[in-house]
Amino acid sequence: MEVNKAELLAALEKVKPGLANRELIEQATSFAFLGGRVVTYNDEISISHPVKDLDVTGAVKAEALYSFLSRVKEDTITMEIDDNQVKITAGKSVAGLVFEQEVKLPIEEVGEIGTWHPVSEDFVTGLKMCYPCCTKDMSLGVLTCVYVNGQVMVGSDSYQIIKYQLDQEVALDPFLLPASSAHTLARYPITEIASGQGWVHFKTKDGTIISSRVFEGDYPDFDVYFEFEGTEIEFPKGTTEALERAEVFSKSDLTIMDMPVVTISITKNRVNISAQDQSGWFKETLPIKHTGEPIKFTTNVQFLLALLSQSPSCVYGEGRIQFAGEKWTHLISTMISEDDV
């Protein structure tokens, strides 16, 4: 059968995030072709996408197939299934890849997909804002997840918390989406959502379906943390540039995706920006209008840069510092050390 190489590669690219790094589950490192779709599954998420002109059933090792097709220059290739191999002809090149005609991935665990409902255009934006605040400490249970409830998304690691207000209510019961799945979903232009049994499903306009396991548990009451009195603090000019310099030395391991972190220490009329990793350390001091008690907090430097690009000020009080934008509010717990007094 003749297949458009570019279209096939594009489909494989869509489902690659669903591959496992190691084959703890049989065929979890393979592309499975099933019913006109290519599917991947790693026990946390499963991703499928339509494949044109390739209505076959079986599985082939993902790395070999993707790497070979990526190096082929021809626009059209020929694929033939012969017993336990798929023969791919591209111009003068011919390759034979092991082809398992039985799909052994436990795709049935994903179960049936419920009714599809549209999601607002800012759904992915909400995920991108919330998942970096989740913890990767599994002992904290639900805090490893983004909490989705109606028009609200929440992410927290017990040290910081962000609340994002969606433009449109999600038409499902509240659910807990693992932050690792949210990180993957943030790559896709999600347009629809559907419920499942222990899973939640997402779809794009071009037919990609991403299914994620949901976490079972009760999310804590977070609204109480946003109710406090404080005073406004405005960061000085030059803060953004200083943070960009600090980022060079900020490759730490404090957030779920190993994102770079920075420490902010505000004392009388000065703000210290510091970072340290295995390559070295950085510190810069800027003047600031502040005469109150010392304030110290640590957060993701890229996240802080994004917050300050929308608002150069924050509110401090009752042991917390708050940044706010049009649709989101972000709280960070502060800490005091003897060095800052």
Side-chain angles (χ1 to χ4, degrees), residues 5-6 8-9 12 16 31 60-74 76-80 86-98:
K5 183 205 68 176
L8 177 56
L9 264 177
L12 299 182
K16 276 182 68 179
F31 293 123
V60 61
K61 288 294 184 182
E63 184 177 359
L65 178 60
Y66 187 84
S67 296
F68 177 71
L69 292 179
S70 298
R71 291 164 171 76
V72 168
K73 296 181 178 179
E74 282 71 20
T76 301
I77 61 174
T78 299
M79 301 181 71
E80 299 177 23
V86 54
K87 186 170 74 172
I88 304 175
T89 304
K92 296 180 180 180
S93 301
V94 182
L97 282 72
V98 174

Side-chain angles (χ1 to χ4, degrees), residues 19-330:
L19 292 167
N21 294 324
R22 293 182 296 169
E23 194 164 285
L24 298 178
I25 298 173
E26 195 168 6
Q27 297 182 345
T29 59
S30 298
F31 293 123
F33 295 89
L34 192 64
R37 300 182 71 88
V38 58
V39 184
T40 53
Y41 176 97
N42 64 17
D43 200 40
E44 293 182 0
I45 62 171
S46 178
I47 307 176
S48 72
H49 187 83
V51 283
K52 192 175 180 180
D53 303 323
L54 196 58
D55 190 6
V56 298
T57 298
V60 61
K61 288 294 184 182
E63 184 177 359
L65 178 60
Y66 187 84
S67 296
F68 177 71
L69 292 179
S70 298
R71 291 164 171 76
V72 168
K73 296 181 178 179
E74 282 71 20
D75 295 330
T76 301
I77 61 174
T78 299
M79 301 181 71
E80 299 177 23
I81 309 297
D82 182 17
D83 291 332
N84 292 322
Q85 76 167 5
V86 54
K87 186 170 74 172
I88 304 175
T89 304
K92 296 180 180 180
S93 301
V94 182
L97 282 72
V98 174
F99 187 80
E100 299 179 75
Q101 297 199 28
E102 180 185 358
V103 174
K104 299 176 182 178
L105 282 174
I107 299 172
E108 67 279 357
E109 289 191 11
V110 176
E112 296 184 4
I113 299 176
T115 303
W116 289 107
H117 303 278
V119 295
S120 55
E121 292 183 0
D122 65 340
F123 184 86
V124 171
T125 300
L127 290 179
K128 290 179 178 179
M129 293 288 287
C130 291
Y131 81 74
C133 289
C134 298
T135 183
K136 61 180 179 180
D137 183 350
M138 295 305 295
S139 69
L140 294 179
V142 296
L143 297 187
T144 63
C145 303
V146 174
Y147 178 55
V148 183
N149 184 356
Q151 276 187 265
V152 176
M153 278 187 184
V154 183
S156 177
D157 59 4
S158 79
Y159 170 67
Q160 60 183 335
I161 182 170
I162 185 166
K163 177 172 65 174
Y164 187 91
Q165 189 76 18
L166 295 166
D167 289 337
Q168 177 181 320
E169 183 173 337
V170 176
L172 300 184
D173 291 336
F175 62 90
L176 290 164
L177 179 69
S180 55
S181 297
H183 178 242
T184 299
L185 278 166
R187 308 178 190 183
Y188 296 86
I190 303 298
T191 57
E192 295 180 83
I193 188 171
S195 61
Q197 188 64 41
W199 293 72
V200 62
H201 310 277
F202 306 86
K203 188 163 67 172
T204 67
K205 283 185 178 180
D206 62 357
T208 304
I209 296 177
I210 308 101
S211 301
S212 169
R213 288 190 186 273
V214 293
F215 194 93
E216 297 296 329
D218 297 319
Y219 206 79
D221 180 11
F222 55 85
D223 284 330
V224 63
Y225 299 110
F226 293 90
E227 300 171 358
F228 72 99
E229 295 183 1
T231 57
E232 185 174 4
I233 299 174
E234 184 169 349
F235 284 85
K237 291 182 179 179
T239 300
T240 296
E241 291 79 4
L243 287 171
E244 290 172 346
R245 289 186 282 272
E247 188 175 5
V248 177
F249 303 93
S250 61
K251 305 301 187 289
S252 186
D253 188 26
L254 298 184
T255 56
I256 182 169
M257 298 302 163
D258 297 341
M259 294 180 177
V261 295
V262 65
T263 297
I264 306 297
S265 178
I266 303 174
T267 54
K268 185 177 181 180
N269 294 324
R270 72 177 188 268
V271 54
N272 296 314
I273 299 171
S274 60
Q276 182 173 349
D277 62 14
Q278 293 181 345
S279 67
W281 58 273
F282 170 88
K283 184 176 181 180
E284 185 166 340
T285 301
L286 298 172
I288 191 172
K289 294 181 180 180
H290 178 72
T291 57
E293 63 182 79
I295 306 167
K296 186 176 183 180
F297 65 93
T298 299
T299 191
N300 172 267
V301 64
Q302 296 170 348
F303 202 65
L304 185 56
L305 281 166
L307 300 182
L308 293 178
S309 70
Q310 299 184 50
S311 174
S313 63
C314 62
V315 174
Y316 169 72
E318 301 181 21
R320 69 202 77 174
I321 194 163
Q322 174 181 289
F323 296 88
E326 182 181 354
K327 298 181 181 180
W328 54 266
T329 305
H330 183 210

